[in-house]
Amino acid sequence: ERMTQTINTINSVRRFIPDSHIVLLDNSILNTFEKSVFEKMVDTFINITDNNVLNYYTDVFEYKAFGEISQTLLFFELFFKSHYTRVKNFFKITGRYEINADFDYTQYDNNLNIFKKSLSIKEKEYYYTCFYKLDKSILKEVQAIFEGFIQNKEK
């Protein structure tokens, strides 16, 4: 079921975000066929089942946000080495969501950072992390903030 959802997500990104470069970062144990499907569908496929630090934050650590933060940091590490100069915007989408026909790329084709805020949670500021957009100019700052979260996680 998750594989089907991820395939649908990838297809929706290809359909609704022009000139996308898709990086799939996954730490699931996949068989050879599953890996080959993802390798053919995306531009960069990173399967990191042997990354003990990432697996700890994703599967063991009590705060799930650290799984996402550590995966994003791994992505940034690789991204800044090879693709940074060619990219205008960074979209993060969770592999179980799809972009649909209501999505208007022109609303995102700018230098803004765009998050969806939850209006139902009143006690605090809450933004969804299943889909968001960052302008290229802020990526190194986000990387530094996320690194600070990881370094100070026990405090």
Side-chain angles (χ1 to χ4, degrees):
E1 181 180 351
R2 283 184 176 216
M3 183 168 180
T4 300
Q5 291 170 334
T6 303
I7 289 169
N8 290 341
T9 300
I10 294 165
N11 287 334
S12 74
V13 170
R14 291 279 189 226
R15 182 172 176 202
F16 294 107
I17 300 180
D19 300 320
S20 58
H21 180 96
I22 299 176
V23 176
L24 176 60
L25 188 78
D26 191 287
N27 70 330
S28 302
I29 297 171
L30 302 171
N31 63 39
T32 305
F33 172 74
E34 292 166 331
K35 284 181 183 178
S36 69
V37 168
F38 288 137
E39 287 169 345
K40 289 175 185 161
M41 292 190 75
V42 300
D43 301 294
T44 305
F45 176 60
I46 304 165
N47 185 243
I48 35 136
T49 56
D50 59 349
N51 186 315
N52 292 332
V53 173
L54 184 59
N55 288 331
Y56 170 74
Y57 286 124
T58 302
D59 300 331
V60 178
F61 196 65
E62 65 181 306
Y63 302 108
K64 285 301 237 180
F66 281 85
E68 180 164 333
I69 289 168
S70 61
Q71 288 180 5
T72 304
L73 283 171
L74 176 61
F75 165 76
F76 282 155
E77 179 183 324
L78 300 169
F79 173 74
F80 289 134
K81 290 179 185 175
S82 59
H83 299 292
Y84 183 67
T85 58
R86 296 181 297 214
V87 171
K88 181 177 178 183
N89 295 302
F90 168 82
F91 288 87
K92 185 270 180 181
I93 187 167
T94 302
R96 299 172 88 181
Y97 295 88
E98 293 179 47
I99 299 172
N100 62 34
D102 294 334
F103 178 80
D104 180 2
Y105 178 73
T106 61
Q107 293 181 339
Y108 295 84
D109 190 17
N110 54 50
N111 62 352
L112 301 174
N113 303 304
I114 302 172
F115 293 83
K116 181 178 180 182
K117 182 179 179 179
S118 172
L119 301 176
S120 62
I121 299 175
K122 306 287 185 204
E123 313 75 60
K124 62 182 178 178
E125 297 285 313
Y126 181 86
Y127 295 87
Y128 295 102
T129 60
C130 56
F131 181 77
Y132 59 84
K133 180 252 180 188
L134 299 173
D135 183 67
K136 171 184 171 175
S137 66
I138 199 169
L139 295 181
K140 292 203 184 242
E141 184 178 341
V142 171
Q143 180 186 31
I145 291 168
F146 282 6
E147 286 171 348
F149 288 156
I150 295 291
Q151 291 168 0
N152 297 304
K153 69 184 174 302
E154 302 298 330
K155 295 179 183 175

